[in-house]
Every structure is written in C-alpha cells, then in structure tokens.
Amino acid sequence: MNQLIPLPIVLPLLAAALASLFGRWKVVQRIISVAVLTATSAISILLLVRVDRDGPLVMHAGDWRAPIGITLVVDRLSAIMLTVASLMLLAVLVYAIGQPGAERHHVGFQPVYMILAAGVAGSFLTGDLFNLFVSFEMMLTASYVLLTLGGRKDQVRAGMTYVVISLLASTLFITALALLYSATGTVNMADLAAKIGQLPLGLRQAFAVLLVVVFGVKAALFPLFSWLPDSYPVAPGPVTAVFAGLLTKVGVYALIRSQTLLFPEGSRPVTLLLITAGLTMAFGIIGAIAQDDVKRILSFNIVSHIGYMVFGLALFSVGGLAAAIFYAVHHIIAMTTLFLVDGLIEHAGGSSRMRELGNMVRSAPVVALLFLVPALGLAGIPPFSGFVPKLGLIQSGFAAVGGQGHRALVIGVVAVSLVVSLLTLFSVIKIWIGVFWSPAFETPSGAAHTVGRLGGPPLMVIPTATLFVLGLTVALTAGPLYRLCERAASDLLNPHAYITTVLGR
Amino acid sequence: MKRLVFLDESVRLIFHAVLVGSIYLLFVGHNQPGGGFVAGLVAGAAMSLRYLVGGLAEVRRISRFQPWTIMALGVAISTSTALAPLSRGHSIMASMSTSFDLPLLGHIYASTTLPFDIGVYMVVVGLVFMVFEAFGEDPDAEADEVPEADEEGATR
C-alpha cells in the first residue's frame, strides 16, 4: 500500500512528459491525461480508505529516513484533500477537452495541467516544509502559464500582478524556511514538531505569524487577497475553475497543517487568525456584492469563504477543525462547479457580464439548475452541502465561547459569519436574477452559441453535472463525512501518530 | 552577422572539451560532486559559447530536436527510473545497483542513479535550448527587417 503514496505526484509528471512528446497527436495526449488523472483519483480513494482504517502511511524516497530524506506522508486530512482535488482535476480536464477553443489550440495545455496536478498532489503529500515549497512552486509555475494561456493583453496584465505577488510570497516562504532551519536544524514537519518546543516562546510565535503570512497570500486572506479577484477572471474558463477550487485551498491546507502540527498550544496566533477570518469574510463578500461580472462575483466569494475555514482553524478544537475541513471539501466542489457553470453560461450567452445576459432559465434550463443548487449550497441553505459545515462552525464557535479567552472576538466572528452567509445568498441570487431571470440590457460582447436541450456540448455538461451530483452526495452523506472530518481533526490536534510514523520511533 | 575568426576557432576547440567535462561530471555524480544538474549546467555553458560565436542559428545547429522534446524525454526517463523501484517493493527513487565484469572495460558498477541523472541532464540542456529560443533572437537582425525594433536595437 505504501507503494501508492508517490504515484499521485510522479504519474502526472510522467504524463506531462509523454503529453509533450505526443504533442502532435491530440487524441493520444488526451488519453494519457485522462487515464493518469483517473488513476490518481482511484489511488487517492484507496489511500483515503486505508488511512482512515489504519492510521498515517509514510514513504521515504530512496529509503533515506526522516528527517534527512524526502518524506511523503498521508494522513486523513491529506487523503481527504487529495481525493477531492484529484476528482476536481479529472472533471475539469474532461470539461476542457469538451470546450471548443479552450485547449484545442494550445499544445502546452495538457502538459502544464499535469504539472499543476503533480504540484497540488505534492503539496498535500509532502512531509517536509521544503518540499512543500517545491510543490508550491511547481503548482504556481504551472498556474502562471495556464493563467496567460490566451496571451491577451488583460491576461498578461493580471498575470504580472499574480506572478509578482506569488514570487514575493515564495521569497518570504523560503526566507522563513531558512530561518526555521537555522533555529532548529530541520525542515521535516514531524521533526520540527518534536524540536520546536526548545525554542523560546517569542520566536515560536514569530514563526507562526510568518507562516500565516506566507500561506495567507496563497489562501487569499485579508488583506493579502487583492491579487485573486483581478487575476482569476481573465484565465480561460476551465483554468479558472481549477484555480478557484484548488489553489487557495492548498494554501488553507498548508495553514491548517503548519499551525496544528508545528506549533504547540500557546504559540498559535489565535487572535490574529480570528481577526483575519472575520475581516476576510466581510471584505470578500462586500467586494462580491459590488460586482457585475459573474466570474468576479464568484472570485470575491472564494475570498469570503476562505474566512470560514480560517475561523474553524482559529478555534483549534475538534469541532472547529472538522468543520473547516468539511467546509474546504464543500467549497472546492461547489466553487469548481460554479465556475464550470460560468463557462457554460459564457458558451451559451457569449459573455459573463450580467448586463449582457438574461432569460437563460428559458434558453438553457439545465444550466440554470446546475447553477442554482451549488449556489444555494454556497450560501448554506439547509439541505445542501454548505449548511453542515456552517452549522458545525457556529456550534464550535459557541462551544469556544463557553471556554476561556477570546470570548468577545469569537462571538463577533460568529455574528459576522451569519451576516456574510446572508450576503452570500444575496450575491448568488443577484447572479440568478441577472443571468437567468431578467432580460438582457445590452448585447453580449462575445459570440453566443446556440445550445441544445443540454445547454452546451455534452463533454462540458457531463463533468459539470457529475460535480453537481458529487456536491449533492456530499450533502446526503454529510453524517459519515462529518465523522471522517472529525477523526481527521482529532488526528491534527493529537499528532502523536503522525510524528511517530514519520520518525519511525 | 560578422564572425570573429579568433573566437570561432577557440570555441571550436573548447566546445567539445567542455561537453566531455560535463559528461564526466554526469558519470562521477553518483559518488563524487557532480550529477545531472551540474553536468547539464556545464553543457549549457558550452551551448552559450556557441551562441556567442554565431547567435541563435549556431545554437540551433547543435541539435535537431526541439527543446521541449529534449526536456520531455528527460522528465520521462527520470520519472520512469524513479518509479522502477516501486515494482520491486522498494521506496520511490531507491537506488538499485549491479556490478559486473566486461572484457577490456574491466569492473563495471551500474546503478539506477545514472539514468535518473541522465534525465535531469536532458531537462537542463533542454531548458538551456529553450532559453536561447525564447530570448536569443538577435535584435540587430530584427532591426534590419522590422523598422519598429529600431529602438530596442539602439538601447542595446
């Protein structure tokens, strides 16, 4: 079983190589990419089942034991994230193949997409901070290319901002790593967890804050989110979907992992996390309400909802972390679906600006349905997938109020989160009315396609519908899933098993 | 473009020596300082000598393959080598080795580190080619053909 651990990273890399070797034969490229992502999805599900039953698994590359070698670790959290991420990558890939013009004209799309997949998997699987950096870079470098794939002027402009900010964050990350290494002599996370207790309290707190800033840029926390709503909407549709679903959540994963594993209670920046969580929610949603473009509204919604996950993390309780993990799963699926639906809207309507769209509930009823359910889920309306984690967050919030410290702040963030939920509902209803109900006010800037009963090419609708069903499944199986997230959360708060598995004692 | 005879001849002498040096580094990399990455960089330095002599056209004469083909082949070799030990139940990238005697060459020690390093070497060399392809176009030559490029030529 351990043999499976490196495959989600290495197989996509191999696929990237083969896809560029077979650049002339599009069909071969597609078969390779789809086959590899199907395989990684299957592998991650297997790993999830196995890890949930038997505890964390580890593989040391080249048999060099931790903390010297490259360590790959799977525990419940990374297996959950890896599974959801692989499924999203697969669905979006099929969608991109089905979308006219999206990838057909770019020989480089498939190889770069595969490198992105490898980077995402690497971020979830790595057991040391340096390889987390390497995986981030793999992912980001691929995302630079994907973001500017069309070579349009606005893409290059937004891409510049994105590249500069990401490079700045990476520089800060590698500096933080160097400092951490000079202070403790290791970058292996399990080893760090064992050794960081020897550092003075102030130093530990400083490192915790430094890592919050580093991962906060990737996760788009307030006030470091400004790059996101500018850059995401200009990318090609499927690319935006995969960015929206995965990239920020990789940042959230890194935040959760580093803050729970590395820093013992007392050195965690709880106040900072609570305040940023509340502000991220509030500022994100205020930005969303002000927009007229579907993609931009959704992009600001990404920012806003990152706040919920950080709030769950800041509680540092089993309930809070479980809700944060569940929220991440729900958010990845819902956001990817919504951005894929946006691609369908643009395909049918020729634009993503609400002023130029209208009446699509009649012209594309399937698209309307595919939009409405994940959108309501995003707002947290009861039967859908966003409700459970929100309820969990608020319950854990109130439980934390009963405990000691940060009482007023937690009540404040809970209040903000409730208001933001309502405003999220408002923002998605605004899309619903603007795109699906009201008539169009202006003629669309792009070319509208005539769509059949499905509302788009089958290869675009089917992956979207699959993710739609996946979102419903998450809502229907919320009970067992929430218990899985609770087990993952209690692993995070008692990392003993993780540390002993990695260090082999 | 004018070519300097002195530079031309000395590069002709040095080029192959540097390449041989890079291959030496590639092979000793297993137990001594060296390895695919460093060797690739040294080979890249040899390529840039050729670039100094004759520009992009001279670099293109070195290899008939496209840069991304070289890189992709390198990645394919390295990842396959990394995956191979998994099938024997070892860890990924575990080094497997064998040694045997050959007539004339004597005792040979071969390990999976070598193909992995060769893959890395190819990636680095492919990257160097790609950098020259992307940034190596001679702006003066362009200035002759395209009038808009005059400004760039002048600042250079």
Side-chain angles (χ1 to χ4, degrees):
Chain A
M1 195 49 122
N2 283 19
Q3 255 71 28
L4 293 180
I5 300 173
L7 294 183
I9 308 171
V10 185
L11 282 184
L13 277 183
L14 184 61
L18 295 179
S20 33
L21 283 178
F22 290 110
R24 271 187 216 165
W25 298 283
K26 283 280 152 77
V27 184
V28 182
Q29 265 197 341
R30 289 174 190 168
I31 291 173
I32 293 170
S33 313
V34 172
V36 161
L37 284 185
T38 314
T40 49
S41 305
I43 290 168
S44 41
I45 292 172
L46 270 175
L47 283 174
L48 177 62
V49 172
R50 174 67 190 265
V51 165
D52 188 37
R53 207 179 53 205
D54 299 341
L57 292 171
V58 65
M59 167 165 275
H60 305 286
D63 285 329
W64 292 92
R65 301 267 141 216
I68 297 161
I70 300 172
T71 311
L72 302 175
V73 200
V74 203
D75 67 345
R76 289 194 179 101
L77 174 63
S78 40
I80 292 172
M81 298 298 282
L82 185 67
T83 307
V84 182
S86 310
L87 292 173
M88 292 308 116
L89 284 163
L90 177 61
V92 174
L93 179 70
V94 176
Y95 183 95
I97 291 173
Q99 187 178 35
E103 56 101 48
R104 214 155 279 190
H105 304 299
H106 298 285
V107 188
F109 178 82
Q110 305 273 358
V112 177
Y113 190 81
M114 285 296 124
I115 290 174
L116 182 84
V120 170
S123 308
F124 292 143
L125 289 177
T126 178
D128 65 68
L129 283 176
F130 185 75
N131 284 305
L132 186 64
F133 171 78
V134 173
S135 307
F136 267 13
E137 285 307 299
M138 247 157 72
M139 193 174 84
L140 288 174
T141 313
S143 73
Y144 303 152
V145 180
L146 290 175
L147 188 68
T148 50
L149 208 55
R152 294 195 317 271
K153 212 178 209 171
D154 59 332
Q155 282 186 319
V156 175
R157 196 180 52 227
M160 284 296 284
T161 325
Y162 179 68
V163 170
V164 168
I165 290 179
S166 300
L167 281 182
L168 212 64
S170 299
T171 315
L172 196 60
F173 189 7
I174 197 82
T175 315
L177 272 182
L179 291 173
L180 205 54
Y181 184 72
S182 71
T184 59
T186 181
V187 286
N188 184 292
M189 288 198 267
D191 203 26
L192 265 177
K195 283 184 180 157
I196 206 153
Q198 300 160 5
L199 296 182
L201 180 66
L203 204 52
R204 268 184 284 162
Q205 284 171 333
F207 278 129
V209 172
L210 201 54
L211 288 184
V212 168
V213 174
V214 167
F215 298 136
V217 178
K218 322 265 175 193
L221 285 185
F222 177 86
L224 308 166
F225 67 83
S226 56
W227 55 272
L228 190 147
D230 280 335
S231 57
Y232 279 17
V234 298
V239 172
T240 319
V242 82
F243 283 12
L246 294 181
L247 294 198
T248 46
K249 258 60 76 184
V250 174
V252 171
Y253 166 83
L255 263 180
I256 294 179
R257 176 68 76 202
S258 61
Q259 295 301 324
T260 53
L261 179 59
L262 299 187
F263 301 104
E265 229 178 320
S267 48
R268 294 165 179 161
V270 178
T271 319
L272 174 77
L273 284 173
L274 281 174
I275 293 174
T276 27
L279 289 176
T280 310
M281 290 179 204
F283 276 81
I285 203 66
I286 290 169
I289 288 170
Q291 303 298 320
D292 177 57
D293 189 293
V294 178
K295 277 181 170 178
R296 288 184 67 89
I297 293 183
L298 292 177
S299 296
F300 273 105
N301 262 312
I302 303 175
V303 175
S304 166
H305 288 247
I306 296 293
Y308 286 88
M309 294 163 225
V310 175
F311 174 46
L313 167 67
L315 292 173
F316 286 108
S317 62
V318 172
L321 279 168
I325 299 168
F326 198 110
Y327 207 106
V329 171
H330 140 75
H331 194 250
I332 291 175
I333 299 173
M335 264 302 157
T336 314
T337 319
L338 285 175
F339 271 98
L340 291 185
V341 172
D342 171 71
L344 290 172
I345 292 174
E346 275 183 57
H347 181 77
S351 168
S352 66
R353 301 180 68 82
M354 294 192 305
R355 230 175 304 141
E356 301 169 2
L357 293 165
N359 263 337
M360 285 188 64
V361 75
R362 280 199 194 78
S363 59
V366 177
V367 178
L369 177 72
L370 289 177
F371 173 81
L372 189 62
V373 173
L376 292 180
L378 197 68
I381 299 292
F384 304 120
S385 62
F387 171 67
V388 180
K390 264 186 185 143
L391 183 69
L393 276 179
I394 290 163
Q395 278 180 341
S396 320
F398 281 126
V401 172
Q404 78 284 26
H406 307 294
R407 208 167 283 184
L409 205 51
V410 172
I411 294 178
V413 180
V414 168
V416 170
S417 77
L418 289 172
V419 176
V420 169
S421 284
L422 272 181
L423 291 177
T424 307
L425 185 63
F426 174 71
S427 76
V428 293
I429 291 297
K430 192 177 156 182
I431 301 182
W432 172 256
I433 292 175
V435 174
F436 295 101
W437 263 5
S438 72
F441 298 111
E442 292 167 20
T443 44
S445 41
H449 297 74
T450 41
V451 291
R453 241 182 320 153
L454 271 179
L459 269 185
M460 285 169 79
V461 178
I462 291 168
T464 319
T466 313
L467 290 191
F468 173 87
V469 172
L470 193 66
L472 286 182
T473 319
V474 167
L476 286 176
T477 57
L481 260 179
Y482 198 80
R483 278 191 288 282
L484 173 65
C485 292
E486 274 181 339
R487 289 195 293 275
S490 62
D491 282 357
L492 289 175
L493 290 176
N494 307 301
H496 185 69
Y498 182 98
I499 295 171
T500 45
T501 312
V502 173
L503 297 182
R505 314 187 184 118
Chain B
M1 180 171 180
K2 278 183 205 141
R3 299 180 65 145
L4 302 169
V5 177
F6 179 71
L7 191 64
D8 227 357
E9 290 306 312
S10 31
V11 166
R12 186 165 299 175
L13 277 174
I14 296 169
F15 178 71
H16 293 99
V18 177
L19 275 191
V20 169
S22 88
I23 288 171
Y24 169 76
L25 282 175
L26 175 66
F27 276 89
V28 300
H30 187 47
N31 289 321
Q32 287 171 44
F37 186 74
V38 177
L41 287 181
V42 172
M47 313 293 167
S48 46
L49 284 177
R50 295 284 290 267
Y51 179 76
L52 285 180
V53 171
L56 188 57
E58 186 73 21
V59 174
R60 282 190 180 139
R61 279 178 57 198
I62 301 172
S63 145
R64 288 193 296 129
F65 297 101
Q66 297 287 355
W68 51 87
T69 317
I70 302 174
M71 284 175 83
L73 213 56
V75 174
I77 293 173
S78 285
T79 45
S80 328
T81 322
L83 284 174
L86 289 177
S87 62
R88 294 280 194 88
H90 297 289
S91 291
I92 187 160
M93 299 207 294
S95 169
M96 297 191 294
S97 61
T98 171
S99 53
F100 48 89
D101 291 299
L102 279 183
L104 288 177
L105 290 172
H107 191 68
I108 303 281
Y109 170 81
S111 84
T112 52
T113 318
L114 185 63
F116 187 82
D117 266 345
I118 291 174
V120 175
Y121 182 88
M122 289 174 73
V123 170
V124 178
V125 169
L127 184 71
V128 171
F129 278 125
M130 205 174 244
V131 167
F132 283 126
E133 285 286 341
F135 303 111
E137 208 81 54
D138 188 1
D140 292 335
E142 265 177 34
D144 293 339
E145 296 159 18
V146 195
E148 291 91 10
D150 265 353
E151 223 173 64
E152 281 175 31
T155 48
R156 192 164 175 269

